[in-house]
Amino acid sequence: MLTLGKHDVRFSSYCPQGRAALPPCQYATLPFPTLFTFMIKPTATSTARWAVAALGLLGATACSQSGTTDTGQAGKGQADSSLPQLGKASLKDVLAALTTEEKVKLVVGMGFYPSGFPEGMLPPGDPGDREVPEKVPGAAGRTHAIARLGIPSLTLSDGPAGVRIDPIRGKDSTKTYYATAFPVATLLASSWDTTLVRQVGVAFGSEVRDFGIDVLLAPGMNIHRNPLGGRNFEYYSEDPLVAGSVAAALVGGVQSNGVGTSIKHFAVNNQEFNRMQLNSHVSERALREIYLKGFKIAVQRAQPWTVMSSYNKVNGTYTSESPDLLTELLRKEWGFKGLVMTDWYGGHDAVAQLKAGNDLLEPGTHAQTEAILAGLKSGQLTAAQLDTNAIRVLRLILKSPTFKGVKFTSQPALKANAAVARQAAADGMVLLRNEGAALPLPAGRKVALFGTASYNLIAGGTGSGDVNRAYTISIAQGLSAAGYAVNAPLNQAYTQYLKTEKAKFPKTKNILAPAPVIPEMAPPAAMVQQQAQANDVAVVTLGRSAGEGGDRKVAGDFTLTAAEQALLKQVATAFHAKGKKVVVVLNVGGVTEVASWRGQADAILLAWQPGQEGGYAVADVLSGKANPSGKLATTFPVSYADIPYGADFLGKLLTGTKGGNSFMGAPSENTYSEGIYVGYRYYNTFKKQPAYEFGYGLGYSTFGYGALKLSAASFNGSLTASLAVTNTGKVAGKEVVQLYLSAPAGQLDKPASELKAFAKTKLLAPGESQTLTFTLKPADLASFNTASSSWVADAGTYTVQAGASSLNIKQRATFQLPAALVVEKSRPLLAPQAPVNEMKITRK
Ligand code: BGC
């Protein structure tokens, strides 16, 4: 039951498949009129009609089983060959043949009718849409078909770690539609391996294609501004170069299958709380250098077919209604050629969205259709603008597999893709600690496996980032398969405990509710002693889950719970007393506190949320079959208090506003006072020692860095930096080399150093070397000067640093920039409503 104040919504019998529906759950928790009047600017009558209908239906439970057939149809009606047909006639002729109403249909999606929702809970789409069978049940969105002109309906589906659709259609479980759950985005970024990420994209995209989906609603690529961000697992890094490069690789891989992607959520959607009513005040420099830069890289390197605007406002305007963001910057400056769609029910004013360059409104509501028609009538929206938006939809359709008639099997190569998921998972895990060479674990060891997550792996996060997978390999299964003797009585105790705890879960599942937390089991002291006696090593897995609709908390989520602390202490004391090692596996989606407890662990493996093959991948790394080569793409601070403006993360309600509910929140604002000092740019510049710094990660091998050679002593348009990396260890391994640049003091405040390039070596045999070469371009030297709206590189000495992490710099070299450069001239965009008072450091 969800308690929502005035119009409480109670529903106790969600359909078993109801989890496929993400955003609705969000709305399902809202006092309905508040939800609707906020979401879409409707006509007064439509609001009233809607609210009455909805209130009448609140409390109802329904399990509609709709759309269970693979139709792939273009919509009702027949193509009329006497009329211009899409793909045969010119776009101009097709456009001319479309009625105004049809053009409006093209820019408004077909609504959202997931099973398991109380009737009337969601704003309705256009009349009749609901009855059109879904091509792919459980997909998040569709576009309208205009059959007479040969225009088919497109299918859009989540999400960032795998295709999220209904695995069972109707009541027929003889044929299933499970997808591969790949490792979460944060893990992929920690591999720092764009070749690998592209391979993941290729496998992932093959499932998109094989399920008959046109556009994948991923990757998510917002910046990890704060560890508490509930969707951080869906995002890559605190650094825009890593985020942009990894996103570009994934997009390239997915799109190589002839399907589209939607990079999201554009932009500044760095928290869940109040996301639909939050106005973030961010300086233009921080926007350009941190929050938008990754998107720019992904757009320019990979040309995603679509971009998804975000829910929030930036500097006073909803991103989906911002011409500065969607037209001036994205299209004119960056050269984006595709389509922009809203996030589900995002924004407020359909006319403003179309004018801003937000071409497709998803999932689409009838109120939006009415608002657009009214806008055309009143002259607020021109026919030419609607044509521009509609043409972008048509261009997307022309590229789509549905339009091209690509046959789909609904039977992806799950086995082959599982192998890709397993390898990627192992490559993105980060070895944080390995005292006394506790790892790798020699073959055949007897393992005492503690922690509920050891037996119940958290494969990924919740919400639209979840994947309906056929199975999840636990760490217990993975270790057993690798030949370790996982202690049977302990295994049984945990299995029984999990069974009992899971039986207490609510029978119904709200996808936006955080995954139920299973409290850590407290094994009796005698049992722990016995385990220490009977086994060679202890492995303790600590798990975390988070997801769309909420942010994490500091106590007991960023930090360990009291039960986890107690378990760790108990196990460490017992095993260490017997001279046996303790290994902690962190099965988490984001950054957690480690500094207070790491001394009790001999080794710590950050396994992230590694997808369905996670248990095997953990065993691959613990056994040394895979030599860990991941590095942190986001800093692990010592404590939450070290995070700049961490206390202000969620923002505050606007004056005179009363608190809203947990999903919609209430009108509120926050200020990005740290400016460009996000993540390592802050810790390293302000000399705040982190627990584990950006770029950090150990392996079972060691690497030597040869001298850093620059192609010139003076910068003249371009410069290369190269160095040889040698495996000086005893086992084969890969090394991630990071190239940082320190710019001279000049007109602007600058971070101590910034990542400008990175590369991962191939698997180097002991003694083997590889020379890596990096190229620096003028843009890599520049910072954004808001006063002149330009990217400027100051004259002076630049220091290039090749590091194994942002603090472990192995080689340095300098070059001169003889005269300041204006690298790129822009114009003022996205200006804050009032100057943002940002932190600064003045470097000499
Ligand atoms: C999420 C998007 C997702 C969409 C469709 C929204 O609530 O923010 O990331 O793609 O729903 O499920």
Side-chain angles (χ1 to χ4, degrees):
M1 187 198 83
L2 297 154
T3 305
L4 300 167
K6 205 163 158 212
H7 304 296
D8 287 2
V9 179
R10 290 147 203 265
F11 38 98
S12 55
S13 60
Y14 268 90
C15 296
Q17 306 311 325
R19 36 84 301 259
L22 156 66
C25 302
Q26 174 169 345
Y27 303 110
T29 60
L30 300 175
F32 179 72
T34 313
L35 162 66
F36 187 63
T37 48
F38 169 73
M39 284 191 322
I40 298 142
K41 200 169 133 193
T43 60
T45 46
S46 70
T47 307
R49 219 171 38 230
W50 223 95
V52 167
L55 284 169
L57 291 161
L58 286 178
T61 56
C63 274
S64 73
Q65 299 287 355
S66 64
T68 55
T69 39
D70 281 359
T71 61
Q73 64 176 28
K76 279 183 260 170
Q78 293 289 317
D80 181 343
S81 57
S82 68
L83 298 173
Q85 296 294 301
L86 186 67
K88 293 189 183 128
S90 69
L91 266 184
K92 201 168 148 232
D93 288 348
V94 174
L95 196 71
L98 284 163
T99 65
T100 301
E101 286 70 20
E102 285 171 334
K103 289 177 190 172
V104 176
K105 284 219 174 290
L106 283 179
V107 300
V108 178
M110 288 180 70
F112 200 37
Y113 307 100
S115 59
F117 266 82
E119 271 303 314
M121 185 57 70
L122 296 170
D126 286 330
D129 285 353
R130 184 174 190 167
E131 286 69 46
V132 180
E134 285 179 286
K135 179 181 170 191
V136 186
R142 297 188 280 173
T143 64
H144 280 105
I146 314 286
R148 66 187 190 98
L149 303 180
I151 301 172
S153 162
L154 297 191
T155 300
L156 324 172
S157 170
D158 288 313
V163 172
R164 187 177 66 85
I165 55 174
D166 288 355
I168 311 279
R169 296 184 179 172
K171 292 195 172 99
D172 178 11
S173 55
T174 53
K175 192 173 175 208
T176 55
Y177 302 82
Y178 288 106
T180 302
F182 294 95
V184 298
T186 307
L187 180 148
L188 292 182
S190 306
S191 75
W192 298 66
D193 187 343
T194 49
T195 309
L196 172 95
V197 175
R198 189 182 159 90
Q199 281 163 12
V200 171
V202 171
F204 192 164
S206 74
E207 297 197 9
V208 176
R209 179 200 61 213
D210 291 345
F211 278 124
I213 293 155
D214 296 291
V215 179
L216 175 73
L217 304 172
M221 52 178 303
N222 294 92
I223 289 293
H224 290 163
R225 178 177 176 235
N226 183 296
L228 303 187
R231 293 183 86 170
N232 280 1
F233 74 96
E234 292 187 50
Y235 304 146
Y236 295 119
S237 173
E238 68 189 17
D239 179 83
L241 178 68
V242 177
S245 309
V246 175
L250 193 96
V251 167
V254 172
Q255 292 193 167
S256 71
N257 291 280
V259 296
T261 55
S262 197
I263 58 173
K264 67 188 188 183
H265 308 90
F266 190 54
V268 195
N269 187 176
N270 304 106
Q271 71 189 66
E272 287 301 281
F273 183 67
N274 277 353
R275 66 182 179 170
M276 291 182 128
Q277 301 217 49
L278 178 72
N279 180 22
S280 292
H281 302 286
V282 198
S283 75
E284 289 142 283
R285 183 174 176 200
L287 284 173
R288 297 269 194 170
E289 292 190 16
I290 307 293
Y291 297 100
L292 301 175
K293 192 171 180 176
F295 285 98
K296 179 180 178 182
I297 292 170
V299 162
Q300 296 188 336
R301 285 193 197 163
Q303 278 292 341
W305 290 9
T306 78
V307 168
M308 187 191 292
S309 53
S310 58
Y311 281 130
N312 51 290
K313 294 179 183 178
V314 177
N315 295 332
T317 308
Y318 276 112
T319 58
S320 61
E321 298 172 9
S322 169
D324 269 9
L325 187 67
L326 305 184
T327 297
E328 298 303 320
L329 193 79
L330 178 65
R331 292 196 160 95
K332 293 195 186 157
E333 260 197 54
W334 299 354
F336 176 64
K337 302 271 182 296
L339 166 146
V340 178
M341 70 176 82
T342 57
D343 198 346
W344 268 227
Y345 303 106
H348 176 60
D349 181 339
V351 167
Q353 288 175 320
L354 294 184
K355 281 162 104 169
N358 198 321
D359 312 297
L360 177 62
L361 313 184
E362 280 296 332
T365 68
H366 188 54
Q368 287 170 325
T369 299
E370 287 185 337
I372 295 168
L373 289 169
L376 287 165
K377 208 166 161 197
S378 71
Q380 274 182 305
L381 183 70
T382 63
Q385 177 62 58
L386 180 61
D387 282 357
T388 302
N389 303 117
I391 282 181
R392 294 201 190 112
V393 178
L394 290 177
R395 288 209 176 105
L396 177 69
I397 294 172
L398 275 169
K399 291 202 276 197
S400 69
T402 296
F403 178 77
K404 291 181 175 163
V406 174
K407 296 262 176 298
F408 61 98
T409 58
S410 295
Q411 287 175 322
L414 293 178
K415 212 164 164 211
N417 295 345
V420 175
R422 175 175 177 170
Q423 196 211 325
D427 272 27
M429 291 182 186
V430 184
L431 183 61
L432 295 177
R433 182 178 170 92
N434 197 14
E435 295 298 301
L439 294 176
L441 292 178
R445 286 291 150 105
K446 287 186 258 171
V447 181
L449 194 51
F450 294 94
T452 54
S454 292
Y455 302 88
N456 189 41
L457 183 86
I458 299 164
T462 58
S464 60
D466 195 9
V467 185
N468 295 312
R469 56 197 171 272
Y471 60 87
T472 302
I473 302 298
S474 71
I475 295 175
Q477 287 171 308
L479 286 174
S480 303
Y484 294 99
V486 174
N487 186 271
L490 194 57
N491 191 335
Q492 275 151 20
Y494 270 104
T495 309
Q496 184 52 49
Y497 174 76
L498 281 166
K499 210 170 146 198
T500 314
E501 289 300 310
K502 281 185 178 171
K504 296 181 195 159
F505 287 177
K507 292 278 165 294
T508 57
K509 195 174 163 195
N510 173 350
I511 190 126
L512 280 192
V517 177
I518 303 173
E520 206 41 83
M521 183 176 97
M527 185 192 226
V528 178
Q529 291 301 337
Q530 224 173 29
Q531 290 295 322
Q533 182 65 40
N535 294 288
D536 301 314
V537 62
V539 173
V540 183
T541 308
L542 303 173
R544 287 287 180 279
S545 183
E548 184 174 1
D551 296 300
R552 297 169 58 203
K553 298 210 164 29
V554 177
D557 190 340
F558 177 71
T559 62
L560 298 195
T561 63
E564 288 168 336
Q565 289 174 35
L567 173 71
L568 191 56
K569 194 166 170 201
Q570 213 185 351
V571 172
T573 309
F575 277 72
H576 288 159
K578 299 228 168 323
K580 294 176 181 175
K581 308 258 194 232
V582 175
V583 177
V584 172
V585 176
L586 287 175
N587 176 200
V588 299
V591 172
T592 52
E593 188 273 326
V594 290
S596 70
W597 56 265
R598 63 181 158 185
Q600 298 172 62
D602 299 286
I604 304 175
L605 177 66
L606 175 57
W608 297 115
Q609 291 167 344
Q612 68 181 42
E613 303 296 314
Y616 289 140
V618 167
D620 289 343
V621 174
L622 294 183
S623 67
K625 182 175 170 197
N627 185 350
S629 58
K631 297 201 178 187
L632 294 180
T634 295
T635 308
F636 272 50
V638 169
S639 82
Y640 188 78
D642 289 347
I643 297 159
Y645 300 96
D648 301 336
F649 171 55
L650 294 178
K652 60 176 196 305
L653 295 180
L654 294 184
T655 319
T657 305
K658 290 210 179 70
N661 62 67
S662 60
F663 288 122
M664 292 299 291
S668 54
E669 62 182 353
N670 67 359
T671 302
Y672 284 35
S673 307
E674 73 278 24
I676 57 166
Y677 292 111
V678 178
Y680 72 92
R681 284 171 169 80
Y682 168 74
Y683 300 109
N684 297 357
T685 307
F686 288 75
K687 308 252 180 293
K688 190 66 98 180
Q689 184 65 38
Y692 296 114
E693 73 272 15
F694 178 79
Y696 172 88
L698 303 173
Y700 302 146
S701 211
T702 49
F703 295 92
Y705 285 57
L708 184 61
K709 292 182 199 135
L710 304 186
S711 58
S714 180
F715 189 88
N716 186 12
S718 165
L719 185 138
T720 60
S722 55
L723 82 165
V725 179
T726 306
N727 183 348
T728 51
K730 294 197 175 63
V731 291
K734 298 178 201 165
E735 171 72 333
V736 173
V737 177
Q738 301 148 47
L739 201 80
Y740 295 89
L741 191 65
S742 296
Q747 308 164 39
L748 301 173
D749 214 48
K750 286 175 197 160
S753 68
E754 292 182 280
L755 184 77
K756 297 298 174 182
F758 59 89
K760 194 164 189 171
T761 65
K762 60 183 182 177
L763 187 72
L764 295 174
E768 195 182 359
S769 299
Q770 184 181 357
T771 298
L772 300 174
T773 301
F774 306 92
T775 303
L776 291 172
K777 295 279 186 200
D780 295 318
L781 278 53
S783 304
F784 189 75
N785 187 334
T786 307
S788 62
S789 286
S790 51
W791 289 88
V792 185
D794 284 311
T797 305
Y798 287 75
T799 307
V800 186
Q801 298 150 61
S805 81
S806 61
L807 291 178
N808 186 5
I809 301 302
K810 303 283 193 181
Q811 296 289 347
R812 289 186 168 78
T814 58
F815 67 83
Q816 301 295 317
L817 180 67
L821 284 179
V822 175
V823 173
E824 198 187 328
K825 192 89 186 101
S826 178
R827 58 185 205 75
L829 292 175
L830 299 158
Q833 293 151 290
V836 179
N837 189 12
E838 291 176 332
M839 73 194 302
K840 291 204 175 355
I841 192 157
T842 306
R843 289 199 300 122
K844 302 234 162 41

